Amino acid sequence: MNGGHDLGGMHGLGPIDPEPEQGEPIFHREWEQRVFALNLATGFLRHWNLDESRHARERQHPADYMRNSYYENWFNGLITLLVEKGLVTQSELDSGTVNLSEPLSTAAVLQAADVETAMLKGGPVNMEVDQAPRFLIGDSVQVRNMNPEGHTRLPRYARGKQGVVDDHHGAHVYPDSQALGVREGQHLYSVSFSAAQLWGQGDKNGFRVSIDLWEPYLDSV
Amino acid sequence: MSDHNHHTEPPSDFELKVKALESLLVEKGLVDPAALDALIDTYENRVGPKNGAQVVARAWTEPEFKDWLLKDATAAIGSIGFTGRQGEHMKVIENTPTVHNLVVCTLCSCYPWTVLGLPPVWYKSAPYRARAVIDPRGVLAEFGTEIGPDVEIKVWDSTSEMRYMVLPERPAGTVLGFDIRDAVYGAAGAACRNGRLDPGCTDVPGQP
């Protein structure tokens, strides 16, 4: 979707103004810790996947997405998912009181003793697929001009642009489908673009940008 | 923040909303508060850039490990024990005298947690995500790093679950011996910033 999260190339956002690395805490407020951990822990309930959680944050009004702090966006996305998936009702959120007439299965709740193992295990997304990759390393490709209303990992600034396939990562879960709850593998490529191709000619443009793009995003040239 | 300040500052509306949500989820049996504490502890105290510094130090001192790292970063990094969440599919990219790499995630905040921990605020910020792909030289200059016109800049936009880590150049003049560890880990701080700094920068001591 063409949302407020798709920021590559946007102007007017001001300086980056980084904090000194040595002094920067991992979290700046206690509530940020809780929002971070709540997002990770509820993910283990298996009611949504990574792309659904990204899409929940992206679906906010673009002005809200850009104005909110990072963990505010994580909080808002989590609320959206909890309500949409029926784990929490709006009336429970409004009242702060649990409606105990609707007990939920809690079989998958992440326990403290399992945290280390679960984090070290992670969740690989590579998949076996039957079809051979359509593109080879060195191929010229053109990014499709597609503007889906749903979740996609094709950034706007790459659409319609020509690049070169530098690497093939095998097949990975296709995010556009996974955000709809469908786990489907598609070949994933590292495609690089000249700055002139992306942004036009200019004296700042002596660089290349490499983007990971799935096969359905690409046409041959 | 001291305990004193912590207890005298009134909680913001947002803090109250977060507390209310946690209470609700705990009461519904959907989260275990001890698991939340363990998750926070993991990423505040256990998983962080000191992991990446170890990887860089190995690559600088063991050529075979470096070859493996550049060919199959997931396996090479996994052999040290750094595996899992947000590092399932790793690629390490090498800075050289002619190529300087810069990593960004324009769509969200993808970052190699297993080796660098959670991303700093600047990496997640809108201006960095917006500008890294259109004006990388300007971005690097803002971080105090001037890249010469004969050095190619390569920007990596992390749009998939591939996670990128920069292997900085080993600073010249490091000598073998006990103090090489300081030099190696110090300069490895440049890797922790994932391409933000010039190779060999030693103003950020990494934590061995």
Side-chain angles (χ1 to χ4, degrees):
Chain A
M1 63 179 294
N2 297 335
H5 66 289
D6 187 356
L7 295 174
M10 187 175 284
H11 288 135
L13 294 168
I16 297 160
D17 200 18
E19 293 174 57
E21 181 162 300
Q22 275 177 297
E24 179 167 350
I26 308 294
F27 299 100
H28 289 68
R29 295 279 185 278
E30 193 183 328
W31 67 262
E32 295 184 346
Q33 298 178 327
R34 306 316 284 183
V35 169
F36 167 78
L38 284 168
N39 267 272
L40 262 63
T42 52
F44 283 87
L45 298 168
R46 303 276 180 248
H47 282 258
W48 55 79
N49 58 53
L50 183 60
D51 286 297
E52 287 177 284
S53 64
R54 286 191 182 123
H55 190 39
R57 297 192 276 269
E58 294 162 4
R59 278 185 281 151
Q60 296 178 86
H61 191 289
D64 291 333
Y65 180 96
M66 296 185 69
R67 187 169 43 234
N68 291 339
S69 75
Y70 181 74
Y71 285 114
E72 283 176 307
N73 281 331
W74 276 42
F75 178 83
N76 293 341
L78 179 58
I79 294 283
T80 297
L81 290 168
L82 288 166
V83 172
E84 286 182 356
K85 301 291 183 179
L87 295 179
V88 168
T89 64
Q90 190 60 51
S91 71
E92 286 176 324
L93 288 171
D94 293 341
S95 67
T97 308
V98 172
N99 178 359
L100 288 172
S101 69
E102 294 172 28
L104 291 157
S105 166
T106 55
V109 173
L110 178 69
Q111 303 297 312
D114 299 328
V115 163
E116 187 178 359
T117 308
M119 291 299 110
L120 285 172
K121 185 173 171 225
V125 295
N126 52 314
M127 293 180 77
E128 293 296 323
V129 295
D130 292 335
Q131 65 272 33
R134 189 177 158 204
F135 304 109
L136 300 173
I137 291 172
D139 279 359
S140 291
V141 290
Q142 178 158 27
V143 181
R144 289 184 178 163
N145 180 15
M146 45 197 275
N147 291 270
E149 289 183 34
H151 177 67
T152 186
R153 296 293 287 180
L154 169 54
R156 264 181 282 193
Y157 73 88
R159 294 175 194 167
K161 302 297 178 9
Q162 285 191 14
V164 176
V165 173
D166 290 333
D167 205 355
H168 172 228
H169 299 304
H172 280 207
V173 171
Y174 185 47
D176 302 45
S177 303
Q178 193 177 223
L180 303 170
V182 178
R183 193 174 169 88
E184 162 195 12
Q186 292 284 354
H187 289 287
L188 176 69
Y189 304 91
S190 181
V191 182
S192 71
F193 303 84
S194 70
Q197 175 67 213
L198 293 173
W199 309 111
Q201 298 295 335
D203 54 7
K204 283 183 179 175
N205 286 354
F207 62 94
R208 290 186 76 78
V209 179
S210 185
I211 312 176
D212 290 332
L213 299 170
W214 281 262
E215 199 164 274
Y217 299 164
L218 301 170
D219 278 321
S220 47
V221 174
Chain B
M1 185 187 302
S2 72
D3 280 345
H4 177 75
N5 285 336
H6 187 70
H7 289 297
T8 52
E9 276 177 20
S12 68
D13 285 353
F14 202 79
E15 279 177 288
L16 293 173
K17 279 167 73 174
V18 174
K19 276 193 198 322
L21 179 66
E22 181 176 334
S23 300
L24 199 59
L25 294 175
V26 169
E27 203 181 332
K28 295 192 83 149
L30 295 171
V31 296
D32 168 16
L36 302 182
D37 295 338
L39 286 164
I40 294 161
D41 177 59
T42 298
Y43 290 100
E44 272 204 317
N45 302 314
R46 294 163 194 247
V47 178
K50 62 186 179 185
N51 293 5
Q54 271 194 56
V55 173
V56 170
R58 284 280 300 274
W60 282 350
T61 51
E62 296 175 31
E64 284 178 11
F65 181 82
K66 179 180 164 182
D67 290 345
W68 188 20
L69 186 67
L70 295 176
K71 275 196 200 103
D72 187 351
T74 313
I77 292 167
S79 75
I80 313 181
F82 307 143
T83 62
R85 181 90 174 200
Q86 293 296 314
E88 292 94 340
H89 307 285
M90 287 293 306
K91 186 172 171 72
V92 169
I93 45 188
E94 186 184 15
N95 279 353
T96 70
T98 54
V99 178
H100 189 95
N101 295 285
L102 186 70
V103 180
V104 64
C105 174
T106 62
L107 296 175
C108 53
S109 56
C110 295
Y111 198 69
W113 291 8
T114 49
V115 281
L116 300 184
L118 299 182
V121 165
W122 62 262
Y123 185 85
K124 303 179 287 190
S125 72
Y128 182 75
R129 287 165 53 187
R131 288 171 50 203
V133 290
I134 192 171
D135 182 20
R137 272 173 212 276
V139 165
L140 285 162
E142 196 177 314
F143 285 110
T145 304
E146 299 289 345
I147 302 294
D150 48 344
V151 176
E152 183 190 12
I153 294 186
K154 187 140 192 205
V155 182
W156 300 79
D157 190 354
S158 311
T159 49
S160 77
E161 300 311 316
M162 297 299 302
R163 291 289 168 272
Y164 294 92
M165 188 182 100
V166 175
L167 175 63
E169 282 185 276
R170 184 174 175 173
T174 48
V175 291
L176 291 174
F178 181 73
D179 62 350
I180 194 176
R181 298 185 65 84
D182 280 349
V184 163
Y185 286 121
C192 304
R193 296 175 177 209
N194 232 345
R196 164 181 151 184
L197 287 184
D198 57 328
C201 168
T202 52
D203 71 334
V204 186
Q207 304 297 312

